[in-house]
Amino acid sequence: MKTKISDLKLKPSLCDELHQLGFEIVDDMQHLSNADILRIPGMGGVSYRRLAAALGREPYGRH
């Protein structure tokens, strides 16, 4: 099942920004790097971690 961005309980302003950028489901963002995701206006730590979990990525790279 494809997860909608609105189902991730993100801030309403961030959901609006992602929809304006053309992202409707989480899989639409698969091609973006972690750095590109964090550059989206309104993307913060909690929102990023929720999105990374939905994408199946680790929210932090190993050092």
Side-chain angles (χ1 to χ4, degrees), residues 32-57:
L32 294 176
S33 68
N34 291 343
D36 289 337
I37 293 173
L38 285 167
R39 287 186 188 112
I40 296 172
M43 184 66 69
V46 173
S47 300
Y48 170 68
R49 287 191 293 272
R50 287 180 183 161
L51 194 58
L55 287 168
R57 300 182 188 181

Side-chain angles (χ1 to χ4, degrees), residues 3-51:
T3 305
K4 293 183 180 180
I5 290 178
S6 57
D7 294 341
L8 295 178
K9 297 181 183 176
L10 303 175
K11 292 188 255 179
S13 60
L14 179 58
C15 282
D16 291 341
E17 181 71 27
L18 293 172
H19 287 296
Q20 287 177 2
L21 293 171
F23 302 121
E24 295 291 327
I25 59 173
V26 175
D27 289 340
D28 292 342
M29 301 184 74
Q30 194 67 38
H31 71 281
L32 294 176
S33 68
N34 291 343
D36 289 337
I37 293 173
L38 285 167
R39 287 186 188 112
I40 296 172
M43 184 66 69
V46 173
S47 300
Y48 170 68
R49 287 191 293 272
R50 287 180 183 161
L51 194 58

